[in-house]
Amino acid sequence: MAIQGKINDAWKQLFQDRPIAADLDRQSYHLIQAQDLKVYMEPRLLAKVDDSTKLPEVLSDHDCAPLSISSNSYILLRPLKTVFHKLEPLPTTPSFYPPGLLEAKLQTIPWNADFTSEPLALDTAFLTGMLGHFLQDPDLCLTIRGKRTLQQELPLRFDNIQLPFNAKSVQMEIDAGYESATHIYLVEAKIGLPDDFNIRQLFFPYHYWNFYLQQIHSTKPVRVIFFSYSSHSFFFFHYQFTNASVLNSLNLVKTGWYILGKQELTWKIINDILAACPQCPPIQNIPFPQADDFVRVLDIIERIAHNEENINEEEEKEEIAGWYDFTPRQGDYYPNAACWLGWLEREAGKWALTTEGRRLADAGLFTKQYLTIQAMAQRPVLRNALEWLGKFHTLPEREQIEEWMSTAVNTGKIKFISGSTVHRRAQTIDKWLQYIKSLIVE
């Protein structure tokens, strides 16, 4: 049995053996000691949940999540929004950030490849000046990284509820911290695009360093950043705690989307691709896409490229669903969209890259954009939409997209789409076009 299955079974047994559900209903929390968890499984494995999609089913069903409050004790907290912060919508327009002279100077950084390491992605954001540009504080020095243990006792509150115990000796790992003349910035980094993240990853480091600064009589403010990398794109979310003592008081200050490389895509290139591509063949064996976030379609390709020894079909749905805030059924939406574009196929009961998918995964930034538009130009409806975009330099109305979809269904170019989903699938095409337009030099 996979480790996630063992974790699910352990939590189910815990709920049967302990009055967890009753405590959650009565007081919104349940206290449990590490030694009690260890009877069922290693506590560290049971309690490590970086985002809500990694929650065991029984915890999701009871709207609760584990939180470490000391080196040997945990609480289960309800509701989930107490523990997890949902990422705000991604920015719609990227800033292109070419590496410049650094590309020749720093030859151990794979500038044109997709990064698979959180430290490498974050270090690249720092070395290029991208992070400093986002923070509007270019004088940054990397001064913090690694494990720490909370030094003070910390009262715990969420919403208007004061818990009857304090956090103490909580262990944490800080991906990176940067200091300038005026601020300290703590960064939690992820590869891929989660839908949310565990607030503890920012909350405890924030309090650790605030306490440290008080001890040395420093007045430098501490700021917290959530960073994620996917397919040449660097996403930054700058937060502040509106009430430092309240766990779920994160407030967004600003977001940023950077692409490492030059902005080279032009209207002429779009139209040249359309002129060179053959007419669209019918696609009757794959559902029409329903996956609005095109960055996540690309992210699926990267994840599968780096995880090709994957799992069986049903477990694979669960795993893909777990990468994002999806149900297992929705876990097929994004790989099906990639399949519709010709990048994935079913092989021995699991998703595998096609030749074109492998080319896409291995490509540098501009080639990846070129191959993306080339694939879109050879697909029904999308070709119509790209031709409109290339001619008028504006997005077509949603009704126009739905008309192209209706024509494609009636002429046998795509599978039948029921009336209830036409609007949602037209929305997907609209969102994909917005993504392409954001990459073009105006």
Side-chain angles (χ1 to χ4, degrees):
M1 181 187 295
I3 187 67
Q4 193 60 43
K6 293 179 181 178
I7 292 171
N8 285 333
D9 288 349
W11 276 114
K12 285 179 183 177
Q13 192 62 48
L14 273 157
F15 266 75
Q16 291 176 18
D17 296 348
R18 298 176 63 91
I20 298 175
D23 281 355
L24 290 171
D25 290 340
R26 180 171 55 88
Q27 60 191 18
S28 298
Y29 69 86
H30 175 82
L31 179 65
I32 188 168
Q33 302 300 317
Q35 63 188 21
D36 296 324
L37 287 176
K38 200 163 188 175
V39 173
Y40 302 84
M41 199 173 184
E42 175 62 39
R44 177 182 54 83
L45 295 176
L46 285 174
K48 181 175 170 54
V49 186
D50 286 346
D51 62 77
S52 64
T53 61
K54 306 300 190 299
L55 276 173
E57 184 179 359
V58 67
L59 298 188
S60 292
D61 290 346
H62 285 84
D63 193 26
C64 67
L67 179 71
S68 171
I69 59 169
S70 76
S71 59
N72 57 14
S73 57
Y74 300 84
I75 52 172
L76 286 171
L77 273 179
R78 173 189 286 175
L80 288 177
K81 68 176 183 178
T82 307
V83 180
F84 299 104
H85 181 85
K86 185 174 177 62
L87 277 181
E88 290 75 10
L90 298 175
T92 56
T93 304
S95 297
F96 284 80
Y97 217 87
L101 296 176
L102 280 179
E103 187 168 4
K105 179 182 177 181
L106 304 178
Q107 298 182 3
T108 54
I109 294 178
W111 295 102
N112 294 314
D114 266 309
F115 300 148
T116 58
S117 156
E118 291 165 3
L120 179 59
L122 187 51
D123 287 347
T124 302
F126 168 57
L127 290 168
T128 57
M130 192 187 298
L131 177 61
H133 183 272
F134 169 70
L135 295 170
Q136 296 183 324
D137 194 348
D139 185 28
L140 299 177
C141 294
L142 175 62
T143 59
I144 300 167
R145 179 166 276 167
K147 294 181 179 179
R148 300 288 193 280
T149 300
L150 193 67
Q151 298 299 301
Q152 73 274 36
E153 288 205 15
L154 185 65
L156 289 174
R157 288 178 54 201
F158 63 95
D159 295 332
N160 295 318
I161 298 174
Q162 176 74 54
L163 295 174
F165 34 73
N166 296 338
K168 57 184 178 181
S169 302
V170 175
Q171 295 183 344
M172 67 199 82
E173 184 156 7
I174 302 161
D175 290 330
Y178 305 88
E179 187 170 356
S180 73
T182 57
H183 290 84
I184 291 170
Y185 304 95
L186 304 176
V187 184
E188 174 66 24
K190 297 295 178 191
I191 294 291
L193 285 169
D195 189 69
D196 59 26
F197 63 90
N198 195 313
I199 300 170
R200 66 165 168 77
Q201 296 170 107
L202 296 178
F203 184 76
F204 289 127
Y206 172 80
H207 280 282
Y208 176 93
W209 286 104
N210 262 320
F211 181 75
Y212 172 85
L213 292 168
Q214 290 169 16
Q215 297 301 105
I216 63 171
H217 308 292
S218 171
T219 58
K220 277 189 182 181
V222 177
R223 301 287 183 256
V224 291
I225 317 294
F226 185 83
F227 162 77
S228 78
Y229 169 88
S230 177
S231 192
H232 302 279
S233 288
F234 297 69
F235 298 98
F236 300 92
F237 300 81
H238 181 187
Y239 295 103
Q240 64 181 9
F241 287 98
T242 56
N243 186 330
S245 64
V246 177
L247 182 66
N248 59 333
S249 67
L250 270 186
N251 183 58
L252 182 70
V253 177
K254 65 174 183 174
T255 61
W257 172 19
Y258 292 78
I259 293 178
L260 183 63
K262 297 177 182 177
Q263 189 173 17
E264 299 181 277
L265 196 60
T266 64
W267 293 113
K268 182 179 184 303
I269 291 171
I270 298 283
N271 288 315
D272 286 349
I273 292 173
L274 285 164
C277 281
Q279 291 298 310
C280 309
I283 304 179
Q284 282 288 344
N285 60 332
I286 307 167
F288 194 85
Q290 186 175 323
D292 290 354
D293 191 340
F294 196 77
V295 172
R296 284 194 163 103
V297 178
L298 295 174
D299 192 50
I300 285 284
I301 298 299
E302 303 305 330
R303 286 174 181 263
I304 290 177
H306 300 134
N307 193 32
E308 286 187 299
E309 71 283 357
N310 223 316
I311 41 188
N312 68 47
E313 183 171 352
E314 286 308 308
E315 288 176 329
E316 188 182 56
K317 283 186 183 182
E318 295 280 354
E319 177 151 314
I320 292 172
W323 292 342
Y324 312 109
D325 188 21
F326 298 160
T327 63
R329 177 168 165 261
Q330 290 171 315
D332 255 356
Y333 288 172
Y334 279 79
N336 271 328
C339 184
W340 196 80
L341 289 165
W343 297 333
L344 290 180
E345 62 186 354
R346 276 293 181 192
E347 188 176 276
K350 61 185 180 182
W351 289 113
L353 296 176
T354 63
T355 300
E356 288 303 308
R358 170 57 60 189
R359 283 184 65 200
L360 187 81
D362 293 341
L365 175 63
F366 177 74
T367 303
K368 187 163 290 184
Q369 294 171 355
Y370 191 97
L371 292 173
T372 294
I373 294 163
Q374 195 174 62
M376 289 182 174
Q378 296 179 70
R379 298 300 182 270
V381 183
L382 262 175
R383 183 181 181 93
N384 300 113
L386 277 176
E387 287 173 344
W388 179 288
L389 184 64
K391 182 177 181 179
F392 299 110
H393 300 185
T394 60
L395 302 178
E397 296 293 331
R398 197 75 58 86
E399 293 77 12
Q400 176 64 69
I401 298 173
E402 292 178 12
E403 184 178 319
W404 289 328
M405 291 169 63
S406 177
T407 300
V409 168
N410 293 336
T411 56
K413 288 190 174 182
I414 62 174
K415 289 182 73 170
F416 174 76
I417 304 171
S418 67
S420 63
T421 63
V422 167
H423 184 74
R424 292 202 301 272
R425 293 171 194 261
Q427 175 176 289
T428 290
I429 301 301
D430 179 65
K431 296 292 187 182
W432 288 12
L433 283 186
Q434 289 180 38
Y435 171 80
I436 294 300
K437 190 173 185 296
S438 76
L439 304 179
I440 298 171
V441 178
E442 294 286 358

